[in-house]
Amino acid sequence: GAMIELNCETDFVARTERFQALADQLAKLALDSKIDTADALLAAQVDGRTVKDLLTEAIATIGENIQLRRVARFEATNGDYVTSYIHGGGRIGVMLEIGGAPADMAHDLALQIAASSPSYVTADEVPTAVTDAERQIYTAQLAEDKKPDNIKAKIVDGKVEKFLDEVVLLRQPYIKDPSKSVEQLLKDAGLPVQVRRFARFELGAE
């Protein structure tokens, strides 16, 4: 699967046949040419012209600035597969590589990613620098607090755990049943489900 974020200036242009066809063309080129970065796609050739040149021509014709912002491409192996979900008329796009899951579960997980915006699949994927930075923020917030240091340390630990619950997919509350985590959902299914990776694009978001 391949997914791109192509930006223009107005919803009117985004809905035009010309813009939609351009977006489809670039996504298909990324898929077929095994391209997974915006820079590589801009340099790719289409009928002797680069994608960058195509965008320049489209800007001149349409009259709005058009920018290829990001690209993702997944190629599943070993019986896994790629599924996708588009929300809000193209404002949020999700692509998910998964194994051992029925299609309805994979779809629900794509919905989860769209709605809850995780950054990682598992806690092991979270860089130490990220958790260290969060810990420093929480520690600084408590600097003037009169509580004993051991109590403040426990508060900081709790805030870090809450942060992980928000950014790690498997630790998030499942949107269809918040009483259980996504990880518990997969365990309850009794299937060898493996969430390999995902990409989530939201227009305008970092």
Side-chain angles (χ1 to χ4, degrees):
M3 180 169 65
I4 69 167
E5 179 182 345
L6 189 67
N7 296 159
C8 59
E9 296 179 48
T10 64
D11 288 340
F12 173 78
V13 166
R15 290 193 294 265
T16 62
E17 185 175 335
R18 172 72 186 271
F19 186 85
Q20 294 282 339
L22 178 62
D24 288 344
Q25 180 185 19
L26 298 188
K28 188 174 188 304
L29 180 62
L31 180 68
D32 294 343
S33 302
K34 300 186 177 183
I35 293 171
D36 60 5
T37 68
D39 287 343
L41 187 55
L42 286 170
Q45 296 278 328
V46 179
D47 298 329
R49 295 172 296 168
T50 65
V51 167
K52 186 175 181 179
D53 290 337
L54 286 181
L55 293 184
T56 299
E57 293 173 11
I59 290 168
T61 302
I62 293 173
E64 282 192 9
N65 188 36
I66 298 173
Q67 179 185 16
L68 176 67
R69 189 150 181 269
R70 46 188 166 177
V71 176
R73 184 186 184 279
F74 293 168
E75 186 165 346
T77 58
N78 300 322
D80 296 348
Y81 65 96
V82 175
T83 190
S84 62
Y85 173 69
I86 301 294
H87 179 75
R91 295 200 65 82
I92 297 175
V94 171
M95 190 165 61
L96 170 66
E97 182 181 341
I98 193 167
D104 59 343
M105 177 179 285
H107 177 72
D108 285 348
L109 290 176
L111 286 176
Q112 174 83 30
I113 294 165
S116 299
S117 189
S119 301
Y120 311 93
V121 176
T122 68
D124 291 341
E125 295 176 5
V126 183
T128 301
V130 171
T131 51
D132 285 350
E134 291 297 315
R135 188 175 295 278
Q136 289 174 9
I137 292 170
Y138 305 141
T139 300
Q141 290 172 349
L142 292 170
E144 303 301 321
D145 198 297
K146 302 302 182 183
K147 294 184 180 70
D149 288 346
N150 64 321
I151 300 299
K152 289 198 286 188
K154 289 181 179 180
I155 293 173
V156 169
D157 289 343
K159 287 180 175 289
V160 170
E161 291 300 310
K162 185 176 180 181
F163 166 75
L164 293 174
D165 290 342
E166 294 173 353
V167 301
V168 174
L169 174 63
L170 295 185
R171 292 182 55 151
Q172 288 184 335
Y174 178 44
I175 55 173
K176 290 190 173 183
D177 181 3
S179 68
K180 65 173 66 176
S181 67
V182 171
E183 185 172 28
Q184 190 61 51
L185 168 75
L186 302 186
K187 288 180 180 178
D188 291 348
L191 299 170
V193 178
Q194 294 291 327
V195 179
R196 304 297 184 188
R197 52 181 169 166
F198 64 84
R200 181 187 184 276
F201 291 173
E202 182 173 355
L203 289 180
E206 292 299 325

